[in-house]
């Protein structure tokens, strides 16, 4: 068998007497002698995997077809290696080696081994290196996602490279670092041999379905080579990737490594800024096999806010390997904001806020998701995917610019918040929170606690305090204090974290407000006398304060108003309504001595979130309108020639003295434990908060009392029906559908029909539409787009209809200590029945969950003492689906 090749060995026993069972007299086996020629690294050895057969292997195998030097092993039947997944997966050519799983599973460890004959090389004399291209398909962190080496096939493995910490975002190849094989072997008292080996590891829980989908790693273009006098730039250590207020003399610091066994003297290094002229300096000496951090004496001019690029180079003449001589840093010089109050509503741009992180879905623009489909103020905001749902296994961040809050006594953060985050009850699934940094972004600390401030976190998981709430999609204020102190480089970031399985619309952020909060919003009773301030002109805000709290503020725009009285009226009973509208329990009057202005003045009307919640939850008048959130409130303004009639009483106000300031002209700003509405007026009056103007003089939206989608009797089509309680100025209804869970998650809806409005009516009106598209499959999600005569529109709720299973039912984590999660999907109203058995088949527990039609999770709780560690069987049955899972309690 000395020559490489395949041999069929046939062994026969010949009997001298008659054998009653001749069928077992012969045995054959295929023996392969794998080629293992010595490698000559005088030039780079490159294996681009193109000689591999188009193969898929899910069993342990020595010598993969067409590429004998590679072997494969896995520790469960789910492990797999493929030389071809589909076009576009390989880095070069058509072949590459992809490690993944054949299907979703608790986890399988896959290993790819490469054996190389390097007997001609000595770690003490030759600097042998390895690098390779690798792509991450959505791989999650695990201790098995690494690369190891050893000098021969029986020596201990030496860890050489961490794939997770080095990997790119999913879908793009990265060349690994130049791995110093000689140094690693020498440090571990090993030598090169005829069977030097490299082992690539991967923990597989999902399939690699495309460049970004699922999980797994693809490896290609594996290189071995020798170097001489290799010097490398390891990193640019300063400035940081995101820095606060860089100057025209910013220090530049780099780390340079000498990979040789001798000290190297007079090493030239240089850097340039934004493609400009290089500045060259010399490092006197770098010790053998060591790294040195070097600070250039010349500085960089990075004073302009925004993006910059620094290129750093080590340029040693004897270096034969130039791939690691250059490194670049694309950095951002963030502005330092020192003027307060700071209010960013994102209407003119992203405001130096930016997103980053793993699988980040943060986007800046106009939200158009089914539930969160508007900004709080204006039209722009930040949201986790503007038109759809956040990602599985996301850990992402929305970062602020820098703030100098050192001069503030009680710095406070308020902002507008809307959220739809998966809530799994007593188990943390998906969540959001806020962190702050006092050193420009190097170290981060969670900001605030549950119950602190206003609407600040709604869940506390054993001290882990977060926002995790579904369908809380109306915009509302969130407020907490910031840490006071000498913080000249203060930053905040919004953090979003999700598990796998079910995703929602996530979190949306708008109207970020940082300010000195020394007074807060007045929360006492109706004042018995007005607050009086003398206003003699200027552009400063004049605050009207009672009991140390703010009632209103006025900016006179350089106009003399004289003594000005402000009065607040607070109704203590249930929310009132008048002429078909609910209105706020708080109103104010403003009466200056000089009421005749030549130009507008600006008013701030303060009101707490608790009073606004009372308005939103008002009952008792089924035909009365009310706002959807604080941001839909306008200002009803009553100006009577007789000031005495502006008295906080609505019923004595004559209709012809009323006017209405639309919600878009009365901008709501999150502040303290509520908001202020800021608006302009030229005369002064009595001011009321409501959503459409007293007298009901604003067009009202259509009100849907019923919207459903269900299969027809033959099970082939879908009947979409809806009823409107009333309609004013509605043009038409467009029926839209998202075909499949991926389209639903991405917000990819297509129009499949429309019906014209039946006209303005205060009475109920019914509509019906049939989706008769052929060959429906998977899950389909239906919604209405309700379009007004002026072109504005809104969306209905979403109704799912399931024609076939669109997801793989699965359990995770598995194994687990106590709680297991079942992921499933059934039609709305169907019931998922769960039965749990021990290994002998004895029924231990049963439960059921009502399906919503959407992808859902339900928990299996093995926390009780009756459930010992070991194996259990769970049967999940619903509709036409049945699945049995093996659960291992650890």
């Amino acid at each position: 068998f000395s020559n490489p090749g395949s041999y069929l060995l046939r062994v026969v026993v010949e009997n001298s007497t008659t054998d009653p069972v001749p069928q077992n007299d012969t045995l054959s086996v295929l023996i392969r002698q794998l080629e293992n020629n010595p490698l000559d690294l005088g030039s780079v050895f490159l294996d681009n995997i193109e000689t591999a057969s188009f193969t898929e292997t899910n069993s342990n195998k020595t010598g993969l077809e067409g590429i004998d030097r590679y072997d494969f092993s896995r520790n469960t039947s789910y492990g797999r290696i493929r030389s071809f997944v589909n076009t576009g997966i390989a880095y070069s050519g058509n072949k590459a080696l992809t490690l993944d799983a054949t299907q979703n599973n608790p986890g399988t460890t896959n290993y790819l081994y490469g054996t190389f004959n390097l007997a001609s090389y000595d770690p003490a004399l030759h600097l042998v290196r390895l690098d390779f291209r690798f792509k991450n398909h959505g791989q999650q962190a695990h201790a098995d996602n690494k690369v190891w080496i050893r000098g021969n096939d029986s020596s201990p493995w030496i860890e050489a490279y961490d794939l997770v910490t080095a990997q790119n975002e999913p879908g793009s190849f990265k060349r690994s670092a130049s791995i110093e094989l000689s140094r690693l072997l020498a440090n571990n008292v090993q030598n090169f041999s005829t069977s030097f080996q490299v082992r690539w590891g991967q923990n597989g829980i999902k399939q690699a379905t495309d460049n970004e989908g699922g999980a797994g790693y693809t490896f290609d273009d594996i290189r071995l080579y020798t170097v001489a006098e290799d010097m490398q730039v390891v990193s640019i250590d300063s400035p940081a990737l995101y820095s606060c207020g860089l100057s025209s003399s910013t220090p530049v610091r780099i780390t340079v490594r000498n990979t040789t066994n001798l000290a190297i003297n007079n090493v030239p290094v240089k850097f340039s800024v934004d493609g400009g002229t290089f500045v060259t300096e010399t490092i006197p000496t770098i010790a053998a096999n060591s790294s040195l951090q070097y600070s250039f004496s010349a500085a960089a001019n990075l004073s302009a806010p925004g993006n910059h690029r620094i290129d750093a180079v080590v340029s040693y003449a004897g270096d034969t390997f130039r791939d690691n001589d250059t490194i670049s840093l694309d950095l951002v010089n963030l502005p330092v904001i020192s003027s307060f109050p700071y209010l960013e509503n994102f209407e003119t741009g992203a405001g130096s806020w930016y997103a980053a992180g793993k699988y980040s879905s943060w986007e800046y623009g106009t939200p158009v998701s089914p539930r969160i489909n508007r900004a709080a103020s204006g039209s722009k905001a930040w949201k986790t995917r503007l038109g759809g749902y956040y990602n599985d296994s996301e850990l992402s961040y929305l970062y602020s610019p820098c703030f100098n809050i050192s001069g503030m006594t009680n710095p406070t953060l308020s902002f507008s918040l809307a959220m739809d985050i998966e809530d799994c009850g007593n188990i943390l699934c998906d969540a959001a929170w806020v962190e702050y940094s006092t050193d420009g972004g190097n170290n981060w600390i969670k900001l605030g606690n549950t119950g602190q401030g206003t609407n600040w976190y709604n869940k506390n998981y054993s001290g882990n305090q977060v926002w995790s709430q579904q369908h809380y999609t109306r915009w509302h204020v969130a407020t907490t204090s910031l840490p006071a102190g000498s913080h000249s480089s203060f930053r905040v970031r919004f953090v979003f974290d999700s598990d796998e399985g079910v995703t929602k619309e996530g979190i949306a952020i708008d109207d970020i407000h940082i300010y000195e909060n020394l007074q807060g919003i007045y929360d006492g009773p109706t004042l018995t006398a007005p607050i009086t301030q003398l206003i003699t002109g200027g552009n400063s805000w004049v605050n009207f304060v009672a009991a140390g709290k703010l009632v209103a503020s006025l900016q006179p725009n350089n106009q003399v108003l004289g003594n000005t009285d402000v009065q607040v009226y607070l109704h203590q009973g249930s929310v009132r309504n008048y002429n078909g509208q609910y209105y706020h329990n708080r109103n104010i009057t403003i009466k200056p001595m000089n009421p005749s202005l030549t130009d507008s003045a600006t008013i701030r009307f303060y009101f707490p979130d608790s009073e606004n919640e009372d308005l939103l939850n008002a009952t008792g008048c089924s035909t009365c309108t009310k706002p959807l959130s604080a941001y839909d409130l306008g200002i009803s303004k009553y100006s009577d020639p007789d000031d005495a009639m502006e008295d906080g009483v609505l019923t004595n106000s004559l209709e012809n003295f009323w006017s209405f300031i639309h919600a878009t002209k009365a901008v709501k700003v999150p502040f303290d434990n509520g908001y202020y509405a800021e608006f302009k007026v030229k005369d002064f009056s009595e001011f009321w908060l409501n959503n459409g103007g007293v007298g009901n003089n604003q067009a009202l939206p259509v009100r849907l009392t019923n919207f459903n989608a269900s299969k027809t009797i033959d099970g082939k089509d879908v009947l979409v029906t809806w009823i409107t309680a009333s309609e004013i100025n509605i043009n038409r209804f467009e029926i839209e559908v998202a075909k499949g869970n991926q389209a639903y998650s991405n917000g990819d809806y297509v129009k499949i029909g429309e019906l014209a409005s039946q006209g303005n009516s205060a009475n109920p009106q019914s509509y019906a539409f049939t989706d008769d598209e052929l060959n429906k499959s998977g899950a389909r999600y239906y919604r209405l787009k309700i379009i007004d005569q002026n072109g504005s529109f809104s969306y209905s709720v979403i109704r799912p209809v399931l024609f076939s299973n669109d997801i793989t039912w699965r359990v995770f984590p598995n194994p687990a200590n106590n709680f297991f999660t079942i992921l499933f999907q059934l039609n709305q109203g169907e019931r998922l029945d769960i039965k749990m058995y021990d290994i002998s088949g004895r029924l231990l527990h049963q439960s059921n969950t009502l399906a919503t039609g959407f992808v859902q999770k339900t928990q299996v709780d093995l926390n009780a003492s009756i459930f010992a560690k070991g194996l259990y069987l769970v049967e999940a049955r619903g509709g036409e689906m049945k699945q049995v899972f093996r659960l291992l309690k650890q």
Side-chain angles (χ1 to χ4, degrees):
F1 306 124
S2 60
N3 293 324
S6 297
Y7 300 87
L8 181 64
L9 177 64
R10 185 167 177 263
V11 181
V12 181
V13 58
E14 294 185 354
N15 296 285
S16 58
T17 60
T18 302
D19 189 338
V21 188
Q23 292 83 359
N24 61 7
D25 290 359
T26 301
L27 188 65
S28 298
V29 64
L30 180 67
I31 296 175
R32 298 178 64 205
Q33 165 73 313
L34 303 181
E35 190 171 301
N36 188 29
N37 295 324
L39 294 187
D40 180 3
L41 302 184
S43 58
V44 174
F45 167 80
L46 169 65
D47 193 342
N48 59 12
I49 318 299
E50 290 306 297
T51 62
S53 302
F54 287 98
T55 184
E56 176 178 331
T57 301
N58 57 6
S59 59
N60 295 343
K61 186 174 181 63
T62 301
L64 299 178
E65 297 296 334
I67 44 172
D68 286 351
R69 73 172 69 257
Y70 299 102
D71 312 324
F72 172 69
S73 73
R74 83 284 186 272
N75 67 350
T76 78
S77 60
Y78 298 111
R80 172 172 65 176
I81 188 169
R82 289 178 285 175
S83 63
F84 180 82
V85 177
N86 54 51
T87 302
I89 296 296
Y91 178 78
S92 63
N94 293 315
K95 312 283 184 58
L97 294 174
T98 300
L99 298 176
D100 69 344
T102 56
Q103 64 185 62
N104 293 341
N105 71 98
T108 182
T109 297
N110 299 318
Y111 288 127
L112 166 66
Y113 304 83
T115 303
F116 304 91
N117 186 342
L118 297 179
S120 303
Y121 295 90
D122 185 336
L125 302 175
H126 306 99
L127 300 180
V128 181
R129 299 286 184 82
L130 163 75
D131 65 43
F132 51 88
R133 303 277 184 176
F134 71 107
K135 179 190 295 180
N136 151 40
H137 296 270
Q139 184 67 29
Q140 301 300 299
H142 194 276
D144 291 339
N145 300 333
K146 294 180 180 177
V147 180
W148 298 262
I149 66 166
R150 59 183 178 181
N152 61 65
D153 57 7
S154 60
S155 295
W157 288 106
I158 304 164
E159 184 177 322
Y161 193 68
D162 190 321
L163 294 169
V164 172
T165 58
Q167 69 191 27
N168 282 346
E169 287 295 304
S172 63
F173 269 101
K174 178 178 181 178
R175 177 180 282 178
S176 73
S178 183
I179 300 172
E180 300 176 27
L181 303 180
S182 298
R183 179 181 60 83
L184 288 170
L185 291 180
N187 289 347
N188 289 273
V189 198
Q190 294 188 27
N191 292 303
F192 292 112
S193 71
T194 59
S195 61
F196 168 80
Q197 288 190 316
V198 181
R199 182 177 74 178
W200 291 266
Q202 185 256 347
N203 180 258
I205 59 172
K206 297 180 183 179
Q207 301 177 18
T209 54
D210 52 35
N211 276 324
E212 301 176 12
Y217 285 118
T218 293
F219 302 98
D220 204 353
D221 285 14
I222 298 165
R223 303 197 307 171
L224 288 163
Y225 47 91
T226 58
V227 301
E229 297 187 322
D230 179 39
M231 310 296 294
Q232 65 184 72
V233 185
V234 177
S235 60
I236 298 175
D237 303 317
S238 69
L241 180 62
Y242 294 95
S243 300
C244 298
L246 297 177
S247 69
S248 59
S249 56
T250 302
V252 176
R253 187 165 59 247
I254 64 173
T255 295
V256 179
R257 176 168 172 73
N258 173 12
T259 68
T260 72
N261 296 325
L262 298 172
I264 300 294
N265 300 323
N266 300 319
V267 180
V269 289
K270 56 187 180 180
F271 78 90
S272 74
V273 176
D274 298 332
T277 303
F278 275 95
V279 173
T280 302
E281 297 180 6
T282 301
I283 300 176
T285 187
I286 305 178
N289 287 309
S290 64
S291 297
L292 179 145
Q293 192 175 69
Y294 178 76
S295 296
F296 285 92
S297 57
N301 183 358
L302 300 170
S303 58
N307 298 323
H308 295 280
R309 182 183 181 90
I310 294 179
D311 296 304
V313 181
V314 58
S315 185
Y316 186 68
D319 189 345
T320 64
F321 183 69
R322 296 295 186 177
D323 287 11
N324 55 14
D325 288 1
T326 301
I327 193 169
S328 298
L329 174 67
D330 291 308
L331 63 93
V332 180
N333 181 20
L334 295 169
V336 179
I337 296 164
S338 302
S339 178
F340 298 96
Y342 164 85
L343 178 61
E344 179 57 74
N345 61 14
F346 302 113
E347 291 308 296
T348 59
S352 295
W353 290 72
Y354 64 92
K358 185 181 73 172
Y359 310 140
S360 174
S361 63
W362 285 101
E363 293 177 338
Y364 161 71
T366 301
V368 289
S369 296
R371 294 180 183 273
I372 306 175
N373 48 36
R374 53 166 284 187
S377 65
S379 62
K380 303 293 178 60
W382 279 92
K383 181 185 175 296
T384 48
R385 188 155 289 117
L386 292 170
Y389 286 50
Y390 53 79
N391 294 319
D392 281 338
S393 305
E394 179 171 343
L395 180 58
S396 59
Y397 307 91
L398 176 63
Y399 288 90
S400 78
C402 308
F403 301 97
N404 182 357
I405 62 172
S406 57
M408 302 176 75
T409 302
N410 184 27
T412 302
L413 168 67
S414 296
F415 56 91
S416 302
L417 170 67
M419 60 182 164
D420 180 26
I421 302 172
E422 184 193 13
D423 178 9
C424 293
N426 61 345
I427 299 174
L428 177 59
C429 290
D430 303 341
W433 62 93
V434 182
E435 296 177 344
Y436 71 92
S437 171
T438 59
D439 57 9
N442 294 314
N443 298 285
W444 294 93
I445 304 168
K446 182 174 283 189
L447 177 62
N449 296 295
T450 305
Q452 178 186 47
T454 301
N455 296 327
W456 202 261
Y457 305 148
N458 69 305
K459 289 292 183 70
N460 186 344
Y461 295 97
S462 302
N464 184 14
Q465 301 173 80
V466 297
W467 285 296
S468 181
Q469 186 169 356
Q470 294 177 189
H471 311 323
Y472 194 11
T473 55
R474 70 167 179 262
W475 287 97
H476 59 284
V477 63
T479 296
T480 196
S481 295
L482 299 176
S486 300
H487 306 315
S488 59
S489 297
F490 186 86
R491 299 180 66 194
V492 296
R493 68 180 183 184
F494 294 88
V495 187
F496 186 77
D497 187 17
S498 68
D499 63 6
E500 61 176 318
V502 175
T503 60
K504 299 287 183 182
E505 294 188 15
I507 184 171
I509 304 295
D510 202 356
D511 304 325
I512 297 172
H513 192 196
I514 297 176
Y515 54 98
E516 182 80 274
N517 189 12
L518 299 178
Q519 294 169 312
I521 297 175
Y522 178 73
D523 54 3
T526 295
L527 297 178
T528 57
I531 308 158
T532 303
Q533 290 271 39
L534 177 63
I535 300 178
T536 59
N539 279 317
S540 298
W541 284 97
V542 178
N543 295 325
F544 293 80
V545 178
K549 299 293 185 69
L550 290 163
V551 172
S553 299
L554 193 151
Q555 201 268 71
N557 193 18
N558 292 312
Q559 298 173 98
V560 177
L561 278 68
N563 284 325
T564 302
D565 292 342
V566 169
Q567 176 73 293
V568 62
Y569 302 87
L570 293 165
H571 176 67
Q572 301 297 329
S574 58
V575 177
R576 301 159 293 176
N577 63 82
Y578 180 76
N579 202 16
Q581 291 193 67
Y582 286 105
Y583 58 97
H584 213 281
N585 278 345
R586 174 181 299 233
N587 72 292
I588 61 173
T589 58
I590 300 178
K591 301 176 182 179
M593 181 178 293
N594 176 20
S596 300
L597 303 183
T598 58
D599 201 352
S600 296
T602 306
I603 294 173
R604 288 177 178 170
F605 179 171
Y606 299 90
F607 58 99
D609 185 60
S610 58
E611 292 177 9
N612 199 69
E613 288 294 302
D614 291 340
L615 174 61
L616 299 179
N617 296 316
T619 59
C621 176
S622 61
T623 60
C624 291
T625 65
K626 56 187 177 183
L628 299 176
S629 73
Y631 302 87
D632 295 309
L633 286 169
I635 305 291
S636 287
K637 176 176 173 289
Y638 180 72
S639 298
D640 198 300
D642 181 0
D643 279 357
M645 299 303 293
E646 297 172 4
D647 55 2
V649 178
L650 188 68
T651 54
N652 65 0
S653 303
L654 301 177
E655 186 172 347
N656 55 325
F657 296 132
W658 282 102
S659 61
F660 185 72
I661 302 172
H662 192 271
T664 57
K665 301 295 184 182
V667 177
K668 269 65 64 182
V669 175
F671 175 83
D672 189 51
N673 63 352
Y675 317 82
Y676 61 77
E678 184 172 308
F679 53 95
K680 293 181 180 294
V681 295
K682 286 188 68 174
D683 52 8
F684 291 90
S685 322
E686 195 170 45
F687 301 98
W688 304 77
L689 292 162
N690 64 301
N691 75 316
V694 175
N696 205 16
N697 61 350
Q698 299 294 311
L700 300 177
V702 63
R703 290 194 296 130
L704 291 174
T705 60
N706 187 288
F707 173 62
N708 287 304
S710 58
K711 289 183 182 178
T712 55
I713 295 176
D714 61 10
K716 296 180 180 179
D717 296 324
V718 174
L719 179 63
V720 182
T721 61
W722 63 99
I723 299 172
T724 61
S726 62
E727 291 182 42
I728 293 181
N729 295 332
I730 300 302
N731 179 275
R732 66 189 185 278
F733 302 87
E734 293 184 353
I735 302 91
E736 298 183 342
V737 66
K739 301 176 183 179
N741 284 317
Q742 190 63 51
Y744 168 66
S745 179
N746 293 337
D748 293 335
Y749 285 82
V750 295
K751 175 184 172 182
I752 58 173
E754 69 175 59
L755 292 177
S757 168
Q758 296 175 16
N760 291 347
S761 174
N763 299 316
Q765 301 187 110
S766 299
Y767 297 84
F769 175 85
T770 300
D771 175 11
D772 56 3
E773 181 182 353
L774 299 176
N775 302 319
K776 300 181 188 68
S777 64
R780 295 168 74 88
Y781 297 85
Y782 295 86
R783 73 180 184 187
L784 290 181
K785 184 176 183 180
I786 306 161
I787 302 175
D788 293 345
Q789 295 289 1
N790 63 8
S792 62
F793 60 87
S794 60
Y795 289 105
S796 70
V797 296
I798 297 169
R799 300 299 188 200
V801 178
L802 192 64
F803 281 87
S804 59
N805 191 41
D806 205 28
I807 66 163
T808 300
W809 288 19
R810 63 182 188 273
V811 170
F812 62 90
N814 189 15
N817 293 328
N818 297 309
F819 296 99
F820 298 78
T821 298
I822 298 179
L823 185 77
F824 73 98
Q825 185 175 23
L826 291 168
N827 272 308
Q828 182 178 5
E830 292 182 335
R831 194 177 72 178
L832 178 74
D833 292 310
I834 297 174
K835 294 182 179 179
M836 184 168 61
Y837 304 86
D838 62 18
I839 198 63
S840 67
R842 182 167 57 100
L843 179 64
L844 301 178
H845 177 74
Q846 55 186 343
S847 62
N848 61 74
T849 299
L850 195 64
T852 64
F854 297 92
V855 178
Q856 291 175 257
K857 292 177 182 176
T858 188
Q859 266 74 46
V860 176
D861 183 358
L862 298 184
N863 189 40
S865 58
I866 62 170
F867 299 115
K869 295 180 180 179
L871 191 64
Y872 295 86
L873 299 179
V874 168
E875 177 188 278
R877 183 193 297 266
E880 300 177 356
M881 289 290 297
K882 176 185 175 183
Q883 191 90 22
V884 177
F885 303 100
R886 291 171 172 263
L887 306 186
L888 179 59
K889 179 179 178 179
Q890 294 179 327

